[in-house]
């Protein structure tokens, strides 16, 4: 049902008061998901947003971004598009190689938001009443393999976000294990 809400999601960009929009699911939306998945994604959203707050990229009193809901809408601007096409990698000697995979979701979905916030782009959330397809909910509900995948995804993304946050902070005692491309 995301297509039904595209007009609402792009409005802030078309009206010129946002550069990037992260659609946010409502409580009603979450009720269309398997309960475990809804809780897991809300917890992951909170952890990712906490990394943003601790790094100073998100004000402490801001609501959590719904970053684990995949859609991103962004202004057609080369500088912004470049954020979504950059390729981050871990350093060759990184101890995180087995548990952090920048090329899975981080490069295209999470790191661009962090870099955009760091560069002071206008990143906002818009609540939409998305409904998770019943067929997909039925497949995911009680599916242990899917729940393990979701848990690993959450750990991968939060650990990767911490590495990019360490790059921003540049603390010599806890250096980032990410190779951050120039620009």
């Amino acid at each position: 049902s995301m297509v039904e809400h595209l007009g609402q999601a792009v409005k802030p960009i078309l009206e010129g008061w946002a550069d990037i929009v992260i659609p946010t699911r409502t409580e009603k939306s979450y009720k269309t998901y398997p309960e475990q998945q809804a809780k897991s994604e809300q917890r992951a959203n909170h952890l990712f947003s906490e990394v943003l707050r601790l790094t100073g990229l998100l004000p402490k009193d801001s609501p959590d971004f719904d970053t684990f809901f995949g859609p991103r809408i962004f202004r057609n601007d080369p500088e912004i598009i470049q954020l979504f096409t950059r390729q981050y990698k871990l350093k060759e000697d990184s101890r995180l190689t087995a548990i952090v995979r920048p090329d899975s979701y981080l490069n295209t979905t999470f790191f661009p938001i962090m870099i955009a916030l760091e560069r002071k782009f206008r990143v906002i959330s818009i609540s939409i009443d998305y409904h998770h397809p019943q067929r997909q909910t039925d497949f995911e509900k009680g599916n242990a393999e899917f729940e393990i995948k979701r848990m690993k995804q959450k750990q991968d993304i939060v650990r990767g976000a911490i590495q990019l946050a360490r790059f921003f902070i540049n603390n010599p005692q806890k250096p980032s294990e990410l190779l951050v491309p120039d620009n």
Side-chain angles (χ1 to χ4, degrees):
S1 72
M2 182 61 204
V3 173
E4 298 169 23
H5 303 287
L6 281 177
Q8 180 185 357
V10 300
K11 188 176 179 180
I13 293 172
L14 295 175
E15 292 181 353
W17 50 279
D19 298 307
I20 300 172
V21 175
I22 302 171
T24 298
R25 295 166 285 188
T26 63
E27 284 303 315
K28 186 177 173 184
S29 299
Y30 278 113
K31 290 183 188 321
T32 67
Y33 283 81
E35 184 178 353
Q36 177 58 29
Q37 182 178 353
K39 286 180 182 178
S40 173
E41 290 189 15
Q42 288 172 317
R43 177 74 179 138
N45 285 330
H46 181 70
L47 292 171
F48 183 80
S49 294
E50 277 300 300
V51 171
L52 299 178
R53 289 183 192 97
L54 291 170
T55 312
L57 298 174
L58 193 63
K60 294 195 182 310
D61 59 346
S62 290
D64 292 344
F65 279 130
D66 189 0
T67 49
F68 278 73
F69 185 41
R72 304 288 186 266
I73 295 101
F74 48 90
R75 193 165 46 88
N76 185 10
D77 175 286
E79 192 176 0
I80 295 172
I81 292 168
Q82 180 264 345
L83 298 177
F84 288 88
T85 60
R86 295 174 85 185
Q87 296 298 303
Y88 300 80
K89 297 180 187 246
L90 290 170
K91 295 177 180 174
E92 281 189 38
D93 61 342
S94 175
R95 59 186 170 74
L96 299 174
T97 303
I99 56 174
V100 175
R101 299 175 332 248
D103 59 340
S104 59
Y105 299 95
L106 289 162
N107 280 337
T108 58
T109 311
F110 292 86
F111 288 166
I113 298 305
M114 294 177 75
I115 298 290
L117 290 167
E118 194 262 341
R119 292 185 180 174
K120 309 293 186 215
F121 282 105
R122 298 167 299 170
V123 180
I124 67 163
S125 288
I126 293 288
S127 290
I128 62 164
D129 198 20
Y130 169 82
H131 294 279
H132 200 57
Q134 185 62 47
R135 186 174 179 187
Q136 193 169 345
T137 298
D138 292 343
F139 170 75
E140 295 164 350
K141 192 174 191 171
N143 184 331
E145 185 178 320
F146 187 80
E147 288 182 21
I148 291 168
K149 175 188 170 196
R150 181 74 55 195
M151 182 189 66
K152 287 180 180 180
Q153 234 176 9
K154 177 174 59 175
Q155 292 171 347
D156 174 33
I157 290 164
V158 172
R159 287 175 178 146
I162 290 168
Q163 291 307 308
L164 187 53
R166 284 183 175 167
F167 173 80
F168 292 146
I169 295 168
N170 196 21
N171 178 346
Q173 278 86 31
K174 290 193 174 187
S176 175
E177 294 191 37
L178 271 181
L179 292 172
V180 177
D182 292 334
N183 270 337

